[in-house]
Amino acid sequence: MRGLVPALALALLPAAGQACGRDGPACDTPLGTYRIALPETAESLHPAVLFLHGAGGTGRGVLRMTGTVSALTARGYAVIAPDGLPWRTGQSGGIWSFLPDDQRPALRDEGAFFAEVIADAAEVHGVDPDRVLLAGFSAGGFMVNYLACETPDAFPAYAPVSGGFWTPLPEACAGPVKLFHTHGFRDSTVPLEGRPLRDGLWLQGDIFAGLALWRETNQCNWPDPDGYQTTGAFQRRHWDCAAGSELEFALFPGGHGVPEGWADMVIEWFEAVTVDAE
């Protein structure tokens, strides 16, 4: 995901950004499409949040989350919103291929697709490929967890919202990560305890069991948190883990959604565990 942005591409940034925004044509890569919202800053290379939509969603729908998008671009971040693939004929929205092949055949290699998107956004829109946070909501949050588990070095940090793992959970993850999970206390679509779908064909996993997997992966000192913090309505807890890893969990009073204040909170965390840690 590393690369240089040609001077010519930088000169074309305003037009390219408009062309691939919420209402214009999407950007194309060999494996799919994406949209992007750019910050109004003079910085030649923008950090970014690659944000994955929920089941049946679209990249355009992500950019319609105006409160979240505006909060991110106001901090100088581009918001990259890729499109999942339809999982059945005639489906207008998309889904992500995160379940193991023995549970559901993959529609595409999502890790390869995200790498394509970042490379294209770096060349065409001036995104810094080394400063991209992978975030996602609901099914997008599940995708974030699975990609972090399988390829921990794909992104510098991960921030799932309202999505964890399915049952059975992975037996182990490939290596430590920096991960910040946010979840609604009243979430009934992805409850903290998990729930069955389609008469038990699929079972959403227990969010706390997923956190236990991350504590094991990150070699955290104890199962109970090492610290607590309140940020607005967010009740946060973090664990002291292996050097180079981070693990934090935030509960908010609402249900299934991306809450107000999430963007500022997660960017402050991202910069603290990446930029400030360098």
Side-chain angles (χ1 to χ4, degrees):
M1 298 184 183
R2 299 176 182 271
L4 297 176
V5 181
L8 178 60
L10 285 174
L12 297 175
L13 287 182
Q18 185 177 12
C20 296
R22 185 181 70 186
D23 300 319
C27 293
D28 291 302
T29 72
L31 289 175
T33 57
Y34 74 93
R35 297 177 182 276
I36 188 168
L38 293 170
E40 296 182 2
T41 63
E43 188 174 4
S44 59
L45 288 177
H46 306 295
V49 176
L50 182 68
F51 195 96
L52 310 181
H53 59 70
T58 63
R60 177 181 278 118
V62 167
L63 295 191
R64 286 177 176 159
M65 298 164 50
T66 53
T68 297
V69 172
S70 296
L72 292 170
T73 56
R75 299 187 71 107
Y77 282 71
V79 180
I80 307 171
D83 292 305
L85 292 178
W87 68 90
R88 52 178 175 261
T89 303
Q91 184 74 35
S92 58
I95 192 66
W96 309 104
S97 295
F98 53 77
L99 289 174
D101 288 341
D102 59 352
Q103 296 184 43
R104 188 170 193 167
L107 298 172
R108 69 180 166 197
D109 183 336
E110 303 290 21
F113 172 50
F114 300 152
E116 280 185 357
V117 167
I118 292 173
D120 191 78
E123 182 177 0
V124 179
H125 302 287
V127 165
D128 186 342
D130 297 325
R131 291 191 293 162
V132 180
L133 170 68
L134 181 64
F137 167 66
S138 194
F142 282 97
M143 181 73 249
V144 171
N145 272 282
Y146 277 95
L147 187 70
C149 183
E150 296 168 4
T151 54
D153 294 330
F155 289 83
Y158 301 87
V161 182
S162 304
F165 292 105
W166 292 77
T167 298
L169 273 64
E171 293 184 2
C173 292
V177 296
K178 296 176 179 178
L179 186 138
F180 191 137
H181 183 117
T182 306
H183 217 97
F185 179 76
R186 295 186 176 92
D187 194 332
S188 59
T189 302
V190 182
L192 289 165
E193 298 80 9
R195 71 178 178 118
L197 297 175
R198 295 197 178 182
D199 297 324
L201 178 61
W202 296 310
L203 181 63
Q204 293 172 350
D206 187 302
I207 296 301
F208 293 103
L211 286 169
L213 173 61
W214 284 124
R215 288 196 300 270
E216 179 182 355
T217 301
N218 279 9
Q219 303 170 33
C220 301
N221 293 332
W222 315 106
D224 54 314
D226 292 285
Y228 302 85
Q229 181 180 351
T230 299
T231 302
F234 297 96
Q235 300 297 315
R236 301 167 59 176
R237 49 179 59 191
H238 73 268
W239 288 263
D240 292 336
C241 308
S245 71
E246 297 286 342
L247 183 61
E248 187 154 342
F249 178 62
L251 272 176
F252 62 95
H256 195 63
V258 180
E260 182 180 357
W262 172 83
D264 287 315
M265 177 179 66
V266 81
I267 290 304
E268 288 172 6
W269 171 83
F270 177 62
E271 292 179 349
V273 303
T274 57
V275 177
D276 294 350
E278 291 177 355

